[in-house]
Amino acid sequence: MIIRSAASDRLGQTFTLPGDGILYGGDYNPEQWSPDVWLEDAALMQQAGVNVVTLGVFSWGRLEVADGVFDFEWMDRVVGILHDHGIAVTLATPTAAPPMWLINAHPEIMTVDASGVPTSQGGRLGWSPCSPVFRRYALRMVEKLARHYAGHPALALWHVSNEIGNENGYDYGADAAAAFRAWVEAKYTDVESLNSAWGTGFWGHTFSSFSQVNPPRVARTAHNPGLLLDFDRFTNDALLQHYIAERDLLRTITPDVPVTTNFMVMRGGGVQDYASWGDEVDVVANDHYTIGSNGLRHEELSFSADRTRGIAHGAPWILMEHSASSVNWQGRNASKAPGEMTRNSLAHVARGADAVCFFQWRQSIVGAEQYHSGMVPHAGPDSKVFREVTELGATLRRISEVTGARVSHGDAAVLWDQQSYWAFHSTRKPADDISFHETPAAIHAALSHHHVATDVISPSEDLAGYHLVVVPNLYLADAELAARLTAYAGSGGHVLVTYLSGIVDPSGAVIPGGYPGAFRDLLGIRVDEFYPLFVGETRTVVTTSGATWTVSDWTESVELVGATASASYTAAPLAGEPAITQNSVGAGTAHYLSAVLDPEALDSYLGELVEMAGIRPLASAPAQVEITQRSGARHDYLFAINHLEVEAVVEVGAAAVDLVTGAAFDGRVAAGAVAVLKVEQRIE
Ligand code: GAL
């Protein structure tokens, strides 16, 4: 795998990971097993086609057995065995799990929650990125490890810590408070600017000095949204700075080894603004777990994978973790159905992953993750899971020529912005249970049902080349983004903005004069008032072409200021008022959707926009057959993932060979199967 990224460009360096195909493997935790199992593992890895493993993620306590006392002997043996079996090593800095001796000697390194309760020993992460003591110990460990393995031929990639921010997100302790004050002071310079940005006149919370600023610890009512938004930004920066400290140290010792850390791009949560991390890693790596109770979990996976590629600016990325079957942290943890793990893995590849890795290689028999699946399950290699793992390894070899091919530039873009996510969750809204992720994900799914090549990108990315740009729930927006969208539409682009977009400015203050303040002029509308609906309540809207669509959760009173109505509400209190609008902007159009359409209506509406924007689908196929395209130097590779329980007919309009079977493609994809279709490059 050849790595090209903003970070490596800055260094003027191209890194290459071993092997000429897709990387395949998983987290390997040999410290849970005896040395005879290590040998069996290496043989089984070869059998499964594994060519890389991630080692040492939680090994600090086994590598630094007491303060300043290091033991690499066991790891040397493991690395040696792996190398002898042709398996490369992604070596983790073990800082995710501080050893017992360190936590006991320095309890002040641990995060403190909003109620003042410090994190105790027994878990992992939990340390404060603002603790100078932790930083000192962590960097000493990293330096020892890097010096020890510098130049080792098995060392392919550095994996800094693990999911930084996962279990050490917000910290309200003394070190964090001091760091937050310094961060706020550096941002605002004088306390008047801070008071003005946060609007501290509200409840008379004016600060007279930066020393009065504290993290948002438990208070009996809601905190100031401006403060919460900045605390999110500060937390992200503090976590990122920890990554950068480890990365920079690694670079000085092993300049030829690329560095990454595993992101957690999936629906829900998020203390990290990964748009700010993407350019700091040499290659983007992501962990993704499906939620078993979600019947449309493959659609959430597609959205997350496209978001991950967006963070990588379209470059191939690494799927660092997913699960071979069930996880152990969802209450009821469904095992994956036969073929599901393969579809999941290939869906990530279809959307730009050049590496498919799992947590973890061998299922633990001890510890907190005993019931989390592994590539080798408790049942051993004679098992359904291991057979599918081995079959997947063979499939990845058969499709290896897709490595390096970039996912074709999207015809549509969905904008996704973490700053908006934070701002959205920082305040009490007219409907607090509206999820930030629902709208972008639903729109992405609707575009996918129409087989539109879609990118999920940060609002700062270049919009040129897209026919349709969707701005869903982009709650926080500045004038610069509004101007760029207006210029994009003016030059012939088509924009769809949804409810709860452009409401607040970058400080979190509502833009007055009617919603959506930032986008009113672009859209030619003005929203007077929000009309959220109660759970279970619905309304209907009727389109100008006579279709009747159901809406729920959210409606608005929209006034036309230049736009025309494409659909109107049918009943009180908004009877006859516009629900969906369209505005002409130069050579293009700007549309506004003021209500939550039900999935069927959303599919119809997006279908109309796709047609209007002149977008051609990647293939003709049923909605639940996922189609994507990666473009190589001479060929295109169309992935067709059949999520149906029946065979599907897929027309790609060209002669194709299915790399999975090696046979000429006859236009049919079996129930639950995946085809990877190699076609001559399709010139648009
Ligand atoms: C991830 C983590 C892994 C493992 C996995 C289980 O968040 O990085 O170490 O715990 O979850 O699903």
Side-chain angles (χ1 to χ4, degrees), residues 47 127 185 251 253 301 322 324 399 421 425 498 597 631 655:
Q47 189 182 327
W127 45 264
E185 185 163 0
R251 277 192 178 153
I253 302 168
L301 183 159
H322 72 150
I399 69 166
Y421 172 88
H425 288 287
T498 78
L597 291 175
S631 297

Side-chain angles (χ1 to χ4, degrees), residues 6 10 236 240 263 265 272-281 284 307-308 310-313 416-419 422 456-461:
R10 268 204 315 269
N236 176 67
L240 179 57
F263 297 170
V265 176
Q272 308 86 346
D273 180 2
Y274 284 126
S276 66
W277 292 63
D279 293 353
E280 301 295 345
V281 293
V284 166
R307 244 189 89 196
T308 305
I311 292 163
H313 307 293
W416 203 97
D417 178 36
Q418 185 72 26
Q419 303 275 327
W422 289 332
V456 180
I457 55 170
S458 149
S460 60
E461 294 282 332

Side-chain angles (χ1 to χ4, degrees), residues 189-212:
T189 335
D190 59 83
V191 80
E192 289 72 34
S193 306
L194 167 70
N195 283 319
S196 151
W198 288 358
T200 54
F202 184 81
W203 287 342
H205 285 168
T206 313
F207 295 102
S208 50
S209 131
F210 285 111
S211 64
Q212 295 168 348

Side-chain angles (χ1 to χ4, degrees), residues 22 344-353 356 396 399 402 407 630 639:
I22 295 170
N344 291 167
S345 298
L346 295 179
H348 286 291
V349 176
R351 292 174 191 273
V356 173
L396 293 176
I399 69 166
V402 305
V407 173
R630 292 180 67 158
F639 286 69

Side-chain angles (χ1 to χ4, degrees), residues 58 124 162-163 166 287 289 321 327 329 359 369 372:
F58 302 112
R124 56 184 183 178
N162 191 62
E163 296 184 340
N166 186 359
D287 296 352
Y289 292 90
E321 290 181 22
V327 298
W329 42 264
F359 175 84
E369 301 192 301
H372 192 292

Side-chain angles (χ1 to χ4, degrees), residues 409 457-466 484:
H409 188 278
I457 55 170
S458 149
S460 60
E461 294 282 332
D462 188 1
L463 303 177
Y466 293 110
R484 285 178 51 232

